[in-house]
């Protein structure tokens, strides 16, 4: 398993310096049993103002109850957020899928608020419910790009020097355990500095790519170990000020984004999160699910490192994980159950 101790120490120092937040006081949550609503309440529990904490507890309760009671669709919720954004900012349509840094002025403030209050995650979970055994969803995020280069299996999606080496492998299966061949996998991640390629200037496609599964449903590629990163919410904007007032931070735990597309199956948008990350139970956008937390092992055989095509002969992390896709019919039935 990758050791996050040094990264966590740097993060803890930044939290203390910027916001006076003690990393040891972050919520400890049983992610296997807690609801999204409970997670948001736990994350807001450090708010020093008791009245504010009370008000936001009730606000979150009512918002989440509204989502559940109306069975609101993702499209309906995004339309509502766009309406509110246009009303508040006079901003034209900004809810496209173009990659955009969250600190960008075009990133809608109501969408950001929806994210940090856990509403986006709740709406997504309800509308993208999966049958038992199928891989769960996670938020697409603002950094997806549909024009990433396609690589052969075993190739690297990251250029040299972007972080610690990581080998990723697994299979894509259906809910009955059968392999799915020629499934298109999109993979993208932040580099070892916690930055996505679109956040650099001048930009360039890096730490992202596409590949296809082989006849037996298998895939493999080289990447880098992602690290926790700070979502750059400006402290002088409304949501930034709210986060500080609630005693929260704006960090996301390390994760590897994946999107899987195969004929006859519902497209899966998900992400893998890493065991040992200090922010698993306090993800600013509430995107972590227990089933998506993975562990890595360390490969120390340098002959294996060379055989896998890494430039430097040094140990690397290995992530093995299978994805299970469901058919549209299976997902429709799961969605019916989720709103009953």
């Amino acid at each position: 398993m990758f050791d996050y101790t040094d990264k966590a120490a740097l993060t803890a120092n930044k939290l203390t310096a910027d916001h006076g937040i003690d990393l040891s006081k972050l919520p400890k949550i049983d992610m296997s049993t807690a609801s999204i609503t409970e997670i948001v309440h736990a994350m807001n529990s450090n708010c020093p103002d008791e009245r504010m904490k009370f008000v936001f507890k009730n606000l979150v309760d009512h918002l989440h109850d509204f989502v559940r009671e109306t069975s609101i669709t993702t499209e309906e919720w995004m339309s509502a957020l766009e309406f509110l954004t246009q009303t508040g900012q006079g901003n034209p349509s900004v809810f496209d899928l173009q990659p955009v840094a969250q600190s960008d002025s075009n990133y809608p403030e109501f969408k950001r608020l929806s994210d940090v209050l856990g509403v986006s995650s709740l709406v997504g979970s309800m509308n993208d419910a999966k049958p038992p055994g199928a891989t769960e969803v996670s938020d697409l995020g603002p950094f997806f790009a549909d024009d990433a280069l396609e690589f052969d299996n075993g190739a690297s999606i990251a250029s040299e020097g972007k972080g610690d080496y990581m080998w990723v492998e697994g299979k894509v299966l259906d809910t009955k355990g059968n392999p799915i061949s020629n499934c298109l996998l999109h993979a993208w991640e932040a580099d070892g500095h916690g930055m996505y390629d679109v956040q650099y200037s001048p930009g360039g496609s890096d730490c992202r790519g596409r590949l296809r599964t082989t006849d037996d449903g298998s895939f493999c590629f080289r990447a880098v170990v992602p690290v926790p990163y700070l979502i750059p919410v400006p402290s002088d904007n409304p949501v930034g000020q709210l986060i500080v007032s609630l005693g929260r931070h704006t960090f996301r735990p390390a994760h590897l984004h994946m999107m899987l597309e195969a004929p006859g199956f519902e497209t899966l948008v998900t992400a893998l999160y890493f065991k040992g990350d200090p922010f698993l139970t306090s993800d600013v956008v509430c995107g972590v699910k227990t089933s998506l937390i993975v562990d890595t092992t360390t490969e120390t055989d340098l002959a294996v490192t060379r055989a896998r095509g890494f430039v430097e002969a040094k140990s690397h992390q290995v992530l093995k994980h299978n994805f299970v896709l469901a058919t549209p019919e299976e997902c429709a039935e799961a969605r019916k159950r989720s709103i009953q």
Side-chain angles (χ1 to χ4, degrees), residues 41 53-65 113 117 119 242:
H41 287 331
K53 183 160 59 176
F54 169 77
V55 168
F56 271 85
K57 179 185 183 304
N58 282 274
L59 173 63
V60 170
D61 280 339
H62 287 300
L63 271 175
H64 288 206
D65 285 345
L113 178 63
L117 293 182
V119 182
L242 173 64

Side-chain angles (χ1 to χ4, degrees), residues 154-155 167 169 222 299 303-310 316-318 320:
W167 175 261
E169 67 175 54
R222 284 174 280 144
E299 178 59 68
V304 174
T305 298
R306 287 189 288 268
R308 286 175 171 166
F310 290 109
H316 61 273
Q317 296 301 298
V318 178
K320 295 183 179 181

Side-chain angles (χ1 to χ4, degrees), residues 106-139:
N106 284 332
Y107 193 81
E109 195 72 354
F110 271 108
K111 176 63 170 68
R112 187 179 276 129
L113 178 63
S114 176
D115 292 346
V116 304
L117 293 182
V119 182
S120 297
S121 182
L122 178 59
V123 171
S125 295
M126 288 177 54
N127 285 270
D128 291 310
K130 304 298 180 186
T135 303
E136 289 191 275
V137 302
S138 191
D139 190 46

Side-chain angles (χ1 to χ4, degrees), residues 24-59:
S24 67
K25 294 181 180 179
L26 294 182
K28 303 296 187 292
I29 305 171
D30 184 349
M31 302 293 285
S32 63
T33 60
S35 68
I36 293 175
T37 306
E38 292 170 331
I39 291 170
V40 177
H41 287 331
M43 290 167 58
N44 290 343
S45 62
N46 286 329
C47 179
D49 186 322
E50 290 299 323
R51 174 63 183 174
M52 185 176 187
K53 183 160 59 176
F54 169 77
V55 168
F56 271 85
K57 179 185 183 304
N58 282 274
L59 173 63

